[in-house]
Amino acid sequence: MTSGNRERDGLMRHVESLAAAMMPTPLVPLADERLDLYAKLEFSNFSGSAKDRSALWILRQAILREQVTRKSVLVESSSGNFAIALASLCASLGLEFVPVIDSNINRSTENFLRALSSRVERVHDIDDTGGFLKSRLRRVQDLRAELPDSYWPNQYANTDGADAHYRFTASELCDALDRITHVFVGVGTAGTIAGLSRRLKKTDPRVRVIAVDVEGSVIFGGAPGRRRIPGIGSSIVPPLLQHALIDETLLVSEYASIVGCIQLWQRHGIFAGGSSGSVYAAVQHYFADYRGPRPRVVFLCADRGNAYADTVFNPQWVAETYPERIDDVLISTASV
């Protein structure tokens, strides 16, 4: 056996041990007068988000194909969670990782990345859509040209990321529930909804898949605009979207996302991040006037609220960022 094969086999054994340690995330019922409502707590993954699944499977497959070796430098654009997942995995595997972030990133997330990564690239230029994603992607390409043996996971187009949610997240849902009528999923890279929708509809074609996006995102043809809450929405149409089986889309405002986060916390004790609030707000809006048979509804809580303590859960930040809506935020926590 050559030294190269021994190194690959060593990396594979390590990454397989990490995969074996990834336990199913909780699926918890939430009290609701109209629905059998369940929250899939993806923030229970080892580094705190749904991105752990896609990051681990992308990295596993890249090592298996010898696209990643001990000499590789991983470079990726991320608004936070995917970077955290990759930074954690790379630190465990002894691999170098350079995250490319932007000024919307939560302070605690940036501090975490700087603690685990010897180099962090932060872009400041707003792109032509009012966001930072295109600027981050340009910087990724610059770094790929600069760094030898670089590998770009490309979470926006890598089907291994969607496959992770097909194999694991969706399979866990199918094992836990014999019937699901609706599933609500926030969309950013579209990897989660691509994997979930294909697996759930293979099991039951009648399940309705509702994609949730935010104002300012262009994923479903919306007008581009400034977005301040990371983890949902995008300045590009992600290539993985073509693999998703979507029945309906809902667009929510960032204000509604904030209210959704507050409601999840106050009503159910779930301290979750911005995309979770967006999806919960979408569920409440969708079924506001519903009077039919009791549906069984699932939504994903993609990450914890801790990283949003300085923003979404900070009344001062909300007042300064959304001055025209602050009175609504403070008095409308019972409805969206």
Side-chain angles (χ1 to χ4, degrees):
M1 180 183 294
T2 66
S3 60
N5 286 338
R6 283 195 297 271
E7 284 189 357
R8 187 198 66 178
D9 290 347
L11 275 175
M12 280 302 301
R13 284 194 297 273
H14 197 159
V15 80
E16 293 286 20
S17 70
L18 294 173
M22 184 172 283
M23 303 296 289
T25 58
L27 180 68
V28 298
L30 305 184
D32 192 289
E33 293 181 356
R34 302 154 296 172
L35 325 168
D36 291 333
L37 183 62
Y38 293 84
K40 180 74 165 156
L41 305 185
E42 287 298 286
F43 55 62
S44 298
N45 283 307
F46 61 83
S47 71
S49 83
K51 295 295 186 180
D52 288 330
R53 298 180 187 266
S54 51
L56 178 61
W57 199 250
I58 285 173
L59 193 52
R60 178 195 184 276
Q61 297 303 93
I63 293 170
L64 185 64
R65 300 181 188 118
E66 300 186 18
Q67 296 169 309
V68 169
T69 69
R70 291 286 185 192
K71 297 179 181 179
S72 298
V73 179
L74 281 77
V75 181
E76 181 62 293
S77 156
S78 172
S79 61
N81 288 326
F82 194 73
I84 286 176
L86 271 183
S88 301
L89 288 167
C90 287
S92 177
L93 294 167
L95 299 173
E96 186 176 353
F97 171 49
V98 180
V100 180
I101 62 175
D102 62 58
S103 55
N104 267 349
I105 194 168
N106 296 312
R107 185 189 309 168
S108 61
T109 299
E110 182 171 359
N111 290 340
F112 179 91
L113 293 175
R114 293 192 182 279
L116 264 67
S117 306
S118 59
R119 179 175 180 179
V120 176
E121 293 285 321
R122 195 173 198 255
V123 302
H124 301 276
D125 296 332
I126 295 176
D127 61 34
D128 58 357
T129 67
F132 294 95
L133 177 53
K134 291 183 179 180
S135 298
R136 294 201 317 256
L137 291 175
R138 284 193 294 268
R139 186 58 186 146
V140 166
Q141 300 313 313
D142 291 343
L143 290 167
R144 292 181 70 199
E146 170 191 333
L147 299 170
D149 298 314
S150 63
Y151 173 73
W152 178 32
N154 191 3
Q155 62 167 324
Y156 312 96
N158 194 328
T159 55
D160 291 331
D163 192 37
H165 292 287
Y166 182 102
R167 290 171 176 268
F168 303 112
T169 320
S171 292
E172 291 170 16
L173 284 174
C174 292
D175 289 343
L177 297 174
D178 60 358
R179 179 182 67 95
I180 299 172
T181 61
H182 302 75
V183 60
F184 288 73
V185 186
V187 181
T189 66
T192 304
I193 198 167
L196 273 177
S197 63
R198 286 187 294 112
R199 177 67 174 85
L200 293 178
K201 282 186 173 289
K202 181 180 179 181
T203 301
D204 184 356
R206 296 170 298 176
V207 64
R208 295 196 65 78
V209 176
I210 294 93
V212 181
D213 198 8
V214 292
E215 291 178 355
S217 168
V218 305
I219 295 175
F220 297 105
R226 178 74 184 276
R227 291 176 290 112
R228 298 173 179 85
I229 301 175
I232 188 170
S234 178
S235 300
I236 64 171
V237 179
L240 286 176
L241 187 65
Q242 65 183 313
H243 300 282
L245 304 176
I246 297 171
D247 296 295
E248 299 177 67
T249 62
L250 284 178
L251 191 70
V252 303
S253 68
E254 287 194 327
Y255 153 71
S257 301
I258 292 169
V259 175
C261 286
I262 294 170
Q263 289 179 335
L264 265 178
W265 187 22
Q266 293 183 343
R267 293 177 179 177
H268 307 291
I270 295 176
F271 191 54
S275 66
S276 305
S278 302
V279 178
Y280 184 72
V283 171
Q284 298 305 307
H285 173 79
Y286 188 90
F287 290 103
D289 299 318
Y290 182 77
R291 296 293 183 270
R294 193 172 178 88
R296 179 171 286 179
V297 181
V298 173
F299 71 100
L300 268 61
C301 290
D303 64 354
R304 300 187 184 104
N306 304 60
Y308 303 81
D310 293 331
T311 55
V312 169
F313 294 98
N314 181 351
Q316 182 178 348
W317 180 86
V318 174
E320 293 172 353
T321 308
Y322 308 95
E324 73 283 3
R325 305 305 295 268
I326 184 59
D327 289 338
D328 295 329
V329 171
L330 292 176
I331 67 174
S332 301
T333 57
S335 62
V336 176

